[in-house]
Amino acid sequence: MRVEKTVHMHNKEIESGTVESFNVAVIDSALFAQNVVVVLESKGHGICYIGGVRNNLKEIS
């Protein structure tokens, strides 16, 4: 994982695999996605979240 590589590059340790780290990742991703939606909608684009994208990349592309 990039996070682990970055942490190790700085001689730090990371605590992963906890519910807290999962929650932080989910919340950060949701906030990022919502901000992207706000920007794109302000420019006149329509948005549709697709939850199963990573399971069907070829079909969706």
Side-chain angles (χ1 to χ4, degrees):
M1 287 173 47
R2 286 188 297 190
V3 171
E4 291 172 342
K5 288 180 183 178
T6 303
V7 169
H8 291 303
M9 282 175 45
H10 294 281
N11 297 319
K12 303 288 182 181
E13 296 202 17
I14 187 169
E15 182 179 338
S16 61
T18 65
V19 173
E20 178 65 17
S21 62
F22 175 76
N23 284 339
V24 168
V26 170
I27 292 167
D28 285 352
S29 298
L31 291 170
F32 172 77
Q34 186 59 46
N35 284 321
V36 170
V37 167
V38 169
V39 169
L40 291 175
E41 285 182 339
S42 75
K43 295 180 180 284
H45 298 283
I47 301 298
C48 178
Y49 290 107
I50 303 174
V53 169
R54 72 190 157 146
N55 295 329
N56 301 295
L57 289 174
K58 288 183 182 177
E59 293 85 351
I60 292 169
S61 295

